Amino acid sequence: MTNNPNELTIENSVLVLIDHQPWVAFAVHSTDPGLMINNVAGLARAARDLGVPTVLTTVGAQGSILVDPIFKEISEIFPDVTPIDRTSTHAWSHPEVRAAIDATGRKKLIMAGLVTEVCLAQSVVAALKDGFDVYFVSDCSGGITKEAHDDAKVRMTQAGARPMSWLSVLSEWTPDYTSAERQALTDVMRQRGGTAAVMADYVLAQVTAGLVKPPTFTSAPVQPARMTPTNRQAKPAAAGAA
């Protein structure tokens, strides 16, 4: 998107989703897990539709008696991407995770993960030390307790990271309501946007009923970018154009 004055743009950021898995989510009590899953699915869908490179990573998903795959709400968005699986809570120290991020050539990381105080916080603090600008999406993350989640947010903020919500990330990427990029987010906003979706549905209902004219700024949505994975597997875990 041209002429975006915000810190985060479609062209300069990378989305990193850490350990959004059912077994890990069982431990989350800082928020409603269903709401968190909705939010991270919305963020992942928006990144895909706008062509923002996305790195997916899991912990202990394979290699034991039981499996713990990434949320289906994410895997359905990136069906050709196999998340990078690890045995350490410290995703940033995994060479394939770093390689996937470095391959994008971008220095602004948007990170979310489970649980906030462990896997997310460790990678956020480490990325900051390595000179990256980090924005963590708190409503796409969750802690074992609300206190643990809140303490982790304070720790990451004090280290230099910036807290955001998933809807604020979308607004940073597409600040102009008349842009094709913003129109491309209409479907995900209506499906995952909560009260924002209700507002959009209300307005569209008036248009459908013929009570008001359609807005003049509507335009054809941008086409989702073809995924260009950059790390391991048949089709690797970083998706999107650099």
Side-chain angles (χ1 to χ4, degrees):
M1 179 178 179
T2 59
N3 301 320
N4 185 344
N6 290 323
E7 287 185 62
L8 288 176
T9 69
I10 296 168
E11 294 80 16
N12 71 10
S13 54
V14 182
L15 177 63
V16 183
L17 299 180
I18 302 171
D19 305 346
H20 290 92
Q21 302 161 250
W23 181 251
V24 183
F26 287 156
V28 171
H29 296 285
S30 66
T31 187
D32 175 5
L35 177 60
M36 179 269 297
I37 293 170
N38 174 81
N39 294 345
V40 73
L43 181 60
R45 166 76 183 277
R48 185 202 67 183
D49 289 352
L50 295 174
V52 175
T54 299
V55 176
L56 308 177
T57 182
T58 53
V59 61
Q62 304 290 336
S64 63
I65 297 174
L66 302 178
V67 296
D68 189 21
I70 200 165
F71 292 155
K72 69 181 185 303
E73 289 82 0
I74 299 176
S75 63
E76 289 170 356
I77 294 168
F78 298 108
D80 296 328
V81 176
T82 300
I84 301 167
D85 196 39
R86 322 175 318 276
T87 57
S88 168
T89 59
H90 200 297
W92 191 255
S93 67
H94 195 291
E96 293 182 32
V97 173
R98 282 301 308 273
I101 293 170
D102 290 343
T104 70
R106 303 182 181 197
K107 300 291 287 186
K108 293 185 181 293
L109 308 182
I110 302 167
M111 305 179 81
L114 305 180
V115 290
T116 316
E117 64 271 27
V118 182
C119 298
L120 177 61
Q122 289 174 4
S123 287
V124 165
V125 172
L128 289 165
K129 288 181 179 178
D130 283 348
F132 287 78
D133 296 327
V134 182
Y135 305 75
F136 64 91
V137 189
S138 57
D139 61 356
C140 292
S141 308
I144 294 175
T145 65
K146 185 177 185 304
E147 181 179 22
H149 178 74
D150 291 344
D151 286 348
K153 289 167 61 179
V154 172
R155 178 191 178 195
M156 293 185 289
T157 302
Q158 288 179 337
R162 300 169 177 85
M164 300 187 74
S165 68
W166 80 276
L167 289 176
S168 68
V169 173
L170 270 60
S171 293
E172 287 266 325
W173 282 339
T174 60
D176 187 346
Y177 279 83
T178 68
S179 68
E181 289 82 3
R182 187 58 173 244
Q183 300 307 308
L185 299 181
T186 299
D187 284 347
V188 67
M189 289 290 290
R190 293 187 68 193
Q191 293 171 6
R192 303 287 186 181
T195 53
V198 173
M199 293 170 61
D201 288 345
Y202 179 79
V203 171
L204 290 173
Q206 313 314 307
V207 174
T208 302
L211 299 175
V212 298
K213 294 181 178 180
T216 58
F217 59 76
T218 53
S219 59
V222 294
Q223 295 298 314
R226 290 185 62 84
M227 300 300 103
T228 310
T230 56
N231 42 309
R232 77 154 169 92
Q233 96 235 58
K235 301 214 172 173

